[in-house]
Each structure stands twice: as structure tokens, then as C-alpha cells.
Amino acid sequence: MTPDVTPGVAAGAAGATAGGGPEPAVPARRNPLRGLVEANVVVVTALAIVSSLLIGGVLIIATSPTVLHALGRIGSSPGRALGVAGSTVGDAYAAMFTGAIVSPSGLGHAITTGHGWTAVLTPISETLVSATPLILAGLGVALGFSTGVFNIGAQGQLIAGALASLYVGFEVHLPIGIHLPLVVLAGAVGGAVAGFVPGYLKARTGAHEVITTIMMNYVFLDLLNELLATQPFQQPGQSNAISRSMPATARLPHLFGAGLRANLGFVVALALVVAAAWFMRRSTSGFAFRVIGSNPKAGRTAGIDVRKVTTAVLVMSGALAGLAGMATLSGTDFFLSSGYGGNIGFDAITVALLGRNRPVGVLLGALLFAALDVGGRNMQAATGIPLDLAFVIQAIIVFFVATPALVREVYRLRETGASLGQVLSKGWGG
Amino acid sequence: MRLELRGVTKRYGPLVANDHVDLTVEPGEIHCLLGENGAGKSTLMNVLFGMARADEGEVRIDGSPVRFADPGEAVAHGIGMVHQHFMLVPVFTVAENVVLGFEPTRALGFLDRRRARADIRLLSEQFGLEVDPDAVVEDVPVGVQQRVEILKALQRDAKLLILDEPTAVLTPQESEALFAIVRSLARAGRSVLFITHKLKEVLAVADRITVMRLGRVVGTTTASESGESELATMMVGRAVELVVRKGPARPGAAVLEISGLTVVDERGLVAVDGVDLEVRAGEILAVAGVQGNGQTELAQAITGLRPAVAGSIRIDGEELAGATPEAAIAAGVANVPEDRQVDGLVLDMAVEDNLVLDIFDRAPFARHGARDLAAVRSNAERKLVDFDIRAPSVLTPVGSLSGGNQQKVVVARELSRPVKLLVASQPTRGLDVGSIEYVHRRIVEERDRGVAVLIISSELDEVLALGDRVAVMYRGKITGVVDPAAGRDRIGLMMAGAAADPVAPAAPPEAGPPDRPETGAADPPEAGPPACPETGA
């Protein structure tokens, strides 16, 4: 049973009853409230990042022998102990920053002398390169989430896209102006086909996409390994599982000269962020997707074909993941090897959650993840603190973002209504 | 037990759900709490039953103040509650359900079933609550399940029984039986607090009546001092028309022709069993029946939401059996679904989007796959005026409107297409009197415009008020189509399975509860234990 009056319906209830009678509520707070909830998303995410950096600092202290040694003598020289702890953590994060964004001293040197720009821009270029597939696959996953479809198969779709791009890359011989668009298209088509299978199965048989997309990951992982060891994909004369490489006409051009790996793939990803935002907000299909994501029953009653939408969203989601596979292949790697794609398909899920399934959110989430990754490598090289710490920080950020109630509790924030956790759990029952 | 509420106030944020409510229930009194949805009745009961904490005011039992932290304490003080949605374990027997949580035990904690059964027999006889202690709850009719709930409260020695909208799920005859039980409880000195928004019931059963509106008590009266229209005026705050104003129907050609329609539910059981129906242009056919007799599935089949196993559904001669919802919409079917929040609206989307949920991809609301948001906006602004939808703005999420305004959004959307047939299921469920008036008027207007209207309602008042003809549905079959002038009693009996012909035997040959025939050959035969016969009046 529900209470007769809930705060949410106050305005309507009071307004519904015409005529006199004292109205008990002053329900003029709706619009400010909505603004507050939106702000809170940003606040919670920012606090999640700050918290994870703090916890990361504690971990650095707890795992560094130098710091522990100094702390052991905290009684005799407390100042030194704290200084060692502070500088170790500071050095680590500084290395992370300079590795991912820019080195301030290098920047100063480049400005004064006019030389060394390539070295200065390398960190940011690497971050963009690393973010590109995360943006693309993250958009795909986010598109599915906002339609209530849980595509856990970005990893498989990414491999499918890369395989298709690779095939078109080495089999077709055309000028770059035609060849490259074909390679890009092939990546999208490869991923789309991989997404279509679970979409079709769900539409026709009701098979849950979480199961089928996860299983498809294994299918494509093993297909990749198989193809890498057989013709025509295997590099001739190689006994290792390494593919042929992409010819020059199938490679995404560099954006800032040959010395920096940043390439056209990032521009493609940015364009698709804009396109996805338009699609969800302004297109009729995007509207149908959102309706099905919020209330499939009402959508069906209003004449929206739920099965068509489910299939379409998995095809689009797969195409975006396929482009992620293409972007790495055609932008930086130029060949495929066993284990291609690393963990991008799964990181994409995290990025989508971090970005709250909004295209711009996905862009920012992907950039943050890429920066932690790239910066973490520099931190490992410069200070000897293992790269895993960067992954721990990533994990803690997600942990906090996924449990907004915890962040509110820790920072004593006021609750503001709409629960963020709903985004994460909605639709799993279907 | 004498119960007193003094100045009870309960706030939810800025909303005052209960504003200094005073209420006294004397021992042996049947006290009706009357009010519209949203008047604060349920909040008050939650406070009384320990499920919510009052911000101000006090509750006194026999003169001494009490404060309940949870329902358990309320029960310990002799308050029993029968919720609108029963809290029973379907696979347990009646006896097991009654003693659940207060089990009589023998040595070593073994359940004393014999004593449980004997206790129940005793209580049953004392208050005229006929039940079979060994029947399994899921097999007995809703009316009997309700008696089990009442028994549960009595077994815990309730001196004051709260019944929350107890007749919502009952046939008129079952309601009469409930009133008899309530009276016998009162005669035995127990107090009954009867919560409802139905005026007829109040006048039939109450000793005293307290009317609430917008969180406040607007007055206390007795059944003999007031009539339906006075109570309605108190409840709504202005004079309301209790009858639907409509002229005689001028039926034209048949629009909807259903023959031999058979539909199965989720479990593969036959829900609609060979139904023949016809609705003509310019008439309202109202389908009456207790909930769960196949009306939902019938409406779903007509609107394309559920496939037909057999039979045909024709709209103006066009076959629609097995068609999709899109096809039904294209054929001119408008659908006001039974549960607007589940099937009718996307609650977290704006009012303006919900108003075009069916035609968002067509001109003028879209061009070349892009939505025209200006057209969507101006459409919504027009509809807000045309259909008297009270919303702060067209951008407000529809879920934060009141039930009445939500329903108006659904009605506005469905009637904005060219409509040949309007299917409206429980069109006024949970609405305030003002909105009910409005929705009814709108439906009659559609009829007068030549639309064929099919109303499905479990509220007999609504069926009688709206229907030009009344079809009664029982266990998937149409037991008869009669003139509404046939009267409440006759239709009530038909709702319990009696044939339309008064000469026919009053009880159906098979007296068992849900024994719908199986369709799947592979399905295991359903165990159909004989349940206690339904005692009508």
C-alpha cells in the first residue's frame, strides 16, 4: 500500500482539485531541485576522484619501503618521516600528471627555446590515443544502457570490427581517399554484425543480451586467435600469431606530424560524441530508444516496436565498439596480435557508467581513464611505483561513483532525491 | 476500545499530508474514513499502525497516550489492519496463514496445527466468517482471502480493526457479505475503522463518518444525517455531479466485431474463452466483472498487445487478431490502458513527450528522422488547455503529476488521433471525483461523435453510469449482455457467474476456483483442490 500523499505528486494533487479548500503544500521547488540533482552528479563524481586520489596516496605510503622506514622512526624525527611520505606521494602524482598531460618544465623550455615541442606534446598525444577507443566503445555501451540494453560484448565487437578493418586493409588496394573510408566503414560493419547476433536472438527468442554478448566475447577472442594462425590473416613467413599489417593507405593520418601518435581516430571519436548527443536528444529513433529504456511497456503500448529497437541498439552499439577496434588498429598498432584490444571492451562499460550514459560524460570519463593509464606508466618508470596503483585508483573512482550514497555519507552531503544508483541497476531484470 | 487521535500532523517535506487531524472511534463503532485519493487517509492509518511517525499530535487508546515505533507495537495494543493488498502466503493454508508469526506450539516448538484449526473455527463461528481452515490460500476467492486477513487480526486479539479500501477487489455480493461481518464485529464490541472513497458503502455500513480533504478533517457526520451528494460535496469541496449526463445512444454500424476470441495469459492458461462481442459506432459497451476474469487480456488482444489463440477481431471489417499494437493504432484503436503508470506513460519523461508517444515519428512532430521540438511543445501547450491538464509546465516529468492529471495526459494523447474505437480499461481507477467527472464526460463526447467505445471496469457504478449496454465477464466468458437498467443485483450475480437468464441456475456447474482449461498439452495437470464454496450474500 502506498501513502495517500507522496511529496512528488504534491503539486499535481493540489492543482487537480478545483475550487476552494486550503492547500497544504507550497510545491514550488521542482525546478531548483532538478538543478541540484544535476549538480550533485558532478559533485559526486568530483568527490569520487578526490577520494580515490587520497586513498591512492595512502596506498603509496603503505607500499613504499622508504616511507615505511622513515615512518618507523617517526618518534625520533617526525618531521622527516612526514616529509618523506609527502614527497613520495607528491612525486608519484606529479609523475602521473607530467606523463599524462604535460611537463611544466619541458613546456617552459619549449616556449623559451622554440625546440622540443614534440617531447612536450607527447604525453597529451598519448592520452588522446589511449582515450580514442574508450570513447568509441564507451559511446556504444552508453547507448545500450540508456535504452535498457546491457551490451557487455563490446570486447568481442571491437575484435570483430578490427578483423573486418584488417581484411579490407590488406586485401583491397585503392588510393587512400577511398581505401581509408572503406577501412573505417568495415570496422563499423564488423562490430555491427557482432552486435546484430545477440540483438536478433533477444528479439526473436528473448535470450538475455547479458548472457549472449558475454558469450560472443569468447567467440571473437577465439576467432581472433584462430585467424591469426591461418591464412590469409597471418603474416606470411611468421610462425607467431601475428597478422599482416595495414598498408599506408589504410592508416589513419597523424594529426600533429609523424612524431606524435595522435591521429584522425580521435577526431572521428569526437564527431561521434556530437552525433550521439544529437541522436539521443533530437532524432526520432533516439526518442524511441529512450522511451524503451525508461518504460518498454508504455513504448510497446504506444506502438513502438520493442524488438526492432532492441536489435537496432545492439547493432549501433556494436558498430561503435567495432570502430574502437578499427581506431587502434588503423591509428597506432597497424597489425593484430593475440590479446588485441586488451581490456578496452570492459573499461568501456566503466567509462559509460562514469559518464552517466551521456555522450559528453563518456568523453570526459574516457579522457580521465586514459590519463590515469598513460600517467600511471610514467609514474612507474619515474618512481618505481607499480602501474597497478593507477588501476586501483580507477577502480576506486568507479566504486565511489557507483555508490553515491557512500560519497554522500562520507562527505555529509544532503540527499537530493533521484538516486544515481538506479542508472546502474535498471533493466537487469528483463 | 476507544481510540482518539488528537491534532495528528504528518509532513513530508513541505507537504502536510495530515494537518492536525482529530478522530475518535468509540468501542463497538463502525467509523468510516472518507476521502479522495490524496486526502491523507492512508498516511493517517500509517501513523496509527506504527508505519510512520507523526510530527505532532498524539494517539490515545482508552484515554492513555500511546506511541508505536512499528506495526508490532500497534498489534500488541489491539490494533489490527487489513491492507488493500493482502499480505498472505499464497501456498500456505488458511490456518497456517492466520497463525503465521503467532504460532501456537507444543513442546519443543512443534506447530500445534490442531489448536490453530480449532482457534480459527471458534473465531469463524463467533463472527460469521466462513472459511475452511485447510484450504490453500491461492485457491480461494479474493473475498475469502480477505476474511483470512480479518481472521489474522482477530487471532491477534484486535480490538480495533482498520480496513483499507476493503471492497476494491470484491463483487457487490462479496461486499455485502463483508458488511455483515463488519456489523457482527461491531456488535461484539470491536471497533472498525473503514477507509474508503465509495459513498454508497459509507452510507450502507457506517455508524459515523469522518470526511477528509487535502490532509484535514472537514467534518464528522452520520449516515442518517447525510446523503451521497452532501458527502461528495464535503469530500471534494464543491458540488459535484454524481451521475453521468448522457443522452440516449444512437448506435450506427458495427465497428468492433469479435467472434470466438480465445486468449491465453502469461502462464498459458485460457484467460479469454471463446468470446463474441460487438460494439457499434456511437455506443458505449461496458464490460463488467470482478478483476481477473479475463477483461485485461480481452483489452490487450483488441489493442494488439496480446496475440489471439483463436477467433477474430475486426475493426470496420479489417482483421486485427494477431496484429501488432502499431497496426491496431493505425486501424483507429485508441487505448487507455488499465495501469497508466506501467502501460500508459513514461513517468520520467516530460509531459510534452508523453503527449506524442504514439506519433512522435510523424509530421508535424518529425521531419526526416529529426524531431521538431517546437511542434511537440506547441502541441503540448494546446493539449494542456484542451484537456484541462494541470501541470506546472509541459516539461514537468509526467510522473510528478497527480493520478487524475496523468490519466488526462493518456486520454489527451489517445484521443488526438483519428479514432474509430476507444478501449478504456479502468479509466477512472484511483482518480479524484473531479477527474472522474471529466474523464466520463470526455468518453461520452467521443461516443456522441460516433466513436465505438469499449469500457472495461470493475467498478459497478461506473459500468452502470457509462454503459449503453453492459457485458458481464466471468472466468473468460461473457455471461450475458444486458441493459444497465437490469440493475445492480442482477449484474452483481452475473459477475459471480450466474447466467443472464434469470431462469437459469444461479451457480455455475463447476464450483471450483480458477480452473481455466490448460492449453499446452505438455503442461502438467493443475492440482485443483476443492475450495470452500463462495458464499455470496
Side-chain angles (χ1 to χ4, degrees), chain A residues 1-31 34 278-308 426, chain B residues 12 14-17 36-43 46 51 81 83-85 164 213-214 216 236-238 304-306 325-326 329 335 337 341-346 348-349 353 356-358 360-361 366 369-371 373 390 392 396-397 399-402 405 432 435:
Chain A
M1 60 164 274
T2 51
D4 257 348
V5 181
T6 55
V9 300
T17 326
E23 302 210 351
V26 190
R29 58 179 181 131
R30 182 156 299 122
N31 286 332
R34 277 187 70 76
W278 182 88
F279 179 82
M280 288 312 273
R281 282 289 123 201
R282 299 299 300 269
S283 77
T284 53
S285 310
F287 182 74
F289 282 21
R290 283 190 288 132
V291 169
I292 298 304
S294 294
N295 186 351
K297 284 186 159 182
R300 180 156 176 262
T301 307
I304 298 173
D305 189 333
V306 179
R307 295 192 292 186
K308 218 186 268 175
K426 200 167 65 179
Chain B
Y12 290 106
L15 177 87
V16 187
E36 295 199 273
N37 293 291
K41 305 180 303 257
S42 291
T43 305
N46 287 346
M51 292 190 289
M81 182 143 177
H83 296 273
Q84 202 171 344
H85 303 285
D164 188 9
R213 182 172 79 234
L214 295 170
R216 292 182 187 181
V236 183
R238 65 185 165 91
L305 289 164
R306 191 174 279 281
E326 298 96 294
I329 289 170
N335 177 17
Q341 302 205 335
V342 172
D343 297 311
L345 298 167
V346 184
D348 53 9
M349 279 191 162
D353 287 336
V356 293
L357 216 52
D358 51 339
F360 67 91
D361 54 354
R371 304 182 67 208
L373 297 185
R390 313 276 172 91
T396 309
S400 61
L401 303 188
S402 71
N405 284 301
D432 55 279
S435 300

Side-chain angles (χ1 to χ4, degrees), chain A residues 154-417:
Chain A
Q155 191 70 27
Q157 291 146 12
L158 175 155
I159 293 172
L163 282 170
S165 282
L166 178 68
Y167 186 77
V168 172
F170 68 72
E171 273 298 321
V172 178
H173 303 282
L174 285 167
I176 185 165
I178 306 170
H179 196 186
L180 187 61
L182 281 181
V183 166
V184 173
L185 189 67
V189 170
V193 169
F196 174 76
V197 175
Y200 181 79
L201 288 177
K202 171 143 192 182
R204 289 307 298 250
T205 70
H208 202 292
E209 74 277 6
V210 168
I211 309 291
T212 50
T213 53
I214 288 176
M215 291 304 134
M216 291 287 282
N217 285 339
Y218 293 105
V219 170
F220 284 106
L221 197 65
D222 289 328
L223 182 68
L224 172 69
N225 288 336
E226 172 66 22
L227 289 179
L228 286 177
T230 46
Q231 289 303 326
F233 283 86
Q234 191 179 27
Q235 176 76 26
Q238 268 281 359
S239 58
N240 293 340
I242 285 190
S243 79
R244 289 165 186 259
S245 58
M246 298 288 268
T249 54
R251 297 184 181 189
L252 291 163
H254 289 136
L255 288 177
F256 312 110
L260 295 169
R261 295 207 300 163
N263 59 66
L264 198 62
F266 183 71
V267 178
V268 171
L270 277 186
L272 284 170
V273 167
V274 175
W278 182 88
F279 179 82
M280 288 312 273
R281 282 289 123 201
R282 299 299 300 269
S283 77
T284 53
S285 310
F287 182 74
F289 282 21
R290 283 190 288 132
V291 169
I292 298 304
S294 294
N295 186 351
K297 284 186 159 182
R300 180 156 176 262
T301 307
I304 298 173
D305 189 333
V306 179
R307 295 192 292 186
K308 218 186 268 175
V309 166
T310 308
T311 311
V313 81
L314 273 163
V315 165
M316 290 180 66
S317 184
L320 285 161
L323 284 174
M326 179 281 302
T328 309
L329 170 71
S330 191
T332 53
D333 288 11
F334 310 128
F335 68 93
L336 299 184
S337 59
S338 159
Y340 177 80
N343 215 29
I344 290 171
F346 298 102
D347 285 346
I349 296 170
T350 321
V351 164
L353 294 181
L354 202 56
R356 309 253 179 240
N357 299 332
R358 307 268 173 85
V360 175
V362 168
L363 171 67
L364 297 176
L367 286 171
L368 174 68
F369 256 51
L372 283 169
D373 206 351
V374 172
R377 284 172 211 284
N378 191 55
M379 173 184 74
Q380 182 170 26
T383 65
I385 294 166
L387 174 61
D388 304 85
L389 185 81
F391 299 148
V392 170
I393 291 173
Q394 287 180 348
I396 296 171
I397 292 174
V398 174
F399 183 87
F400 278 120
V401 166
T403 53
L406 184 64
V407 174
R408 272 201 299 270
E409 186 70 18
V410 169
Y411 292 95
R412 301 274 181 267
L413 295 181
R414 204 162 49 80
E415 184 149 10
T416 51

Side-chain angles (χ1 to χ4, degrees), chain B residues 137-154:
Chain B
V137 159
E138 63 184 345
D139 294 332
V140 305
V142 177
V144 176
Q145 293 185 5
Q146 190 170 55
R147 281 178 219 158
V148 178
E149 284 282 9
I150 296 174
L151 276 174
K152 256 169 76 177
L154 294 176

